[in-house]
Amino acid sequence: MLHFEAIYPSLPFIVAGIGVTLKFTIISLLCGLPLGVILAIAKISNVYSLQKLAQAYTAVFRGTPLLLQLGLVYYATPQLTGNMYVISVFQAGIITFSLNSAAYSSEIIRAGIRAIDPGQWDAAKVLGIPTYQTWFKIILPQAVRNILPALVNEMVDLLKETALISIIGEADLLRRAQIVAAEKFLYFEPVIVAASLYFMMVMMISFFAKKLEKKLSYA
C-alpha cells in the first residue's frame, strides 16, 4: 500500500532541496567550464609540459570515483592542513564537482576545437587578428555551438551527481527525501517525489538547451 497523503505536509521541505541541488550544479558548472577551456587549450597547445599536465589532470579525475574525490576533499583537508582549516560541506562540494566537471568538459571542448577547420587559423593570421581574439571570437564560439549537446549532457550528469553531497550531510533534494522517509517510516513515496523532481529539472534543461541550439543554428 502506498501512502502519499502521509508525506503531503513534508512536500515543501523536499521541494526546497531543489534550490540546494541547483546551487551546487550552477556554481560548479560556472567554475568548471572556464577551467575546462584552459585544460582543452593546454591539451592542443605546442607546449609539451602543458599538454602532459592537462592530460594527467584529466586522467586522475576521470580514472577515480567522484565519491572518492569528494571524500578526499572533505575529510582529508583538515588532516593535510593540521586542522588549521576545516572545510565546509558547501566548499568541498563546489571544489570537487568543479574539478571533476572540468576534466570531462575539457575533453568535450577539445573535440569541438579540433573540429574547427584549420584554415580559419590561417585566415586569422593573414588578417592580422591577435591569437587571443582568434581564440575567443572565432574558434571557441564555433566550438561551443558544435558541442552544445555534449555540454548539456555534462550539465545533466552534474545535476544528478550532486546527489552525492547528501552523503556528507548537505540537505539537498535527495537528503531531504531521505529525512522524510526516516521520519514517516515510508521510503518509496518521498524518494519517488525526489526522483520526479530530478526528472523535471532534467527535462527543463533539455527543453531550454534545444531552444538555444535551434537559435544558434540560425545565428
Side-chain angles (χ1 to χ4, degrees):
M1 292 291 293
L2 299 179
H3 301 281
F4 281 98
E5 70 281 357
I7 68 167
Y8 284 162
S10 302
L11 286 180
F13 176 74
I14 297 176
V15 172
I18 292 177
V20 179
T21 295
L22 289 178
K23 178 177 66 175
F24 277 98
T25 302
I26 294 171
I27 296 177
S28 298
L29 193 67
L30 291 177
C31 294
L33 271 180
L35 179 56
V37 171
I38 294 172
L39 289 169
I41 293 174
K43 289 175 183 178
I44 61 176
S45 71
N46 295 322
V47 182
Y48 181 79
S49 59
L50 286 180
Q51 287 183 23
K52 292 303 177 183
L53 185 62
Q55 290 170 1
Y57 175 99
T58 302
V60 169
F61 280 93
R62 292 179 67 186
T64 55
L66 179 56
L67 180 58
L68 184 148
Q69 298 164 18
L70 182 61
L72 278 176
V73 173
Y74 184 65
Y75 294 111
T77 298
Q79 179 184 348
L80 295 176
T81 60
N83 291 318
M84 294 179 61
Y85 180 73
V86 178
I87 192 168
S88 67
V89 173
F90 175 76
Q91 292 171 334
I94 294 299
I95 291 171
T96 305
F97 296 140
S98 298
L99 295 178
N100 184 273
S101 179
Y104 284 91
S105 61
S106 69
E107 284 296 288
I108 298 172
I109 296 168
R110 182 186 63 81
I113 294 173
R114 288 294 191 190
I116 302 299
D117 185 357
Q120 298 198 32
W121 286 100
D122 299 330
K125 289 180 181 178
V126 170
L127 294 172
I129 301 175
T131 301
Y132 74 92
Q133 288 188 7
T134 301
W135 270 112
F136 291 99
K137 292 186 177 181
I138 299 175
I139 302 301
L140 288 178
Q142 293 183 74
V144 169
R145 182 183 302 176
N146 294 336
I147 63 178
L148 183 59
L151 287 178
V152 171
N153 285 337
E154 171 59 22
M155 183 176 182
V156 168
D157 287 340
L158 181 60
L159 174 70
K160 293 183 291 186
E161 287 168 350
T162 57
L164 291 174
I165 202 68
S166 62
I167 293 175
I168 56 176
E170 184 65 43
D172 70 329
L173 182 56
L174 178 59
R175 179 62 177 167
R176 287 168 181 258
Q178 292 172 334
I179 291 172
V180 173
E183 290 177 348
K184 305 293 184 179
F185 298 101
L186 296 170
Y187 186 80
F188 184 83
E189 292 85 346
V191 171
I192 283 297
V193 170
S196 300
L197 293 173
Y198 274 112
F199 181 78
M200 285 189 289
M201 285 190 287
V202 170
M203 289 300 101
M204 287 182 64
I205 291 172
S206 300
F207 174 79
F208 287 112
K210 287 180 181 179
K211 291 286 187 182
L212 179 59
E213 187 177 354
K214 186 179 292 185
K215 184 177 181 180
L216 290 176
S217 65
Y218 292 109

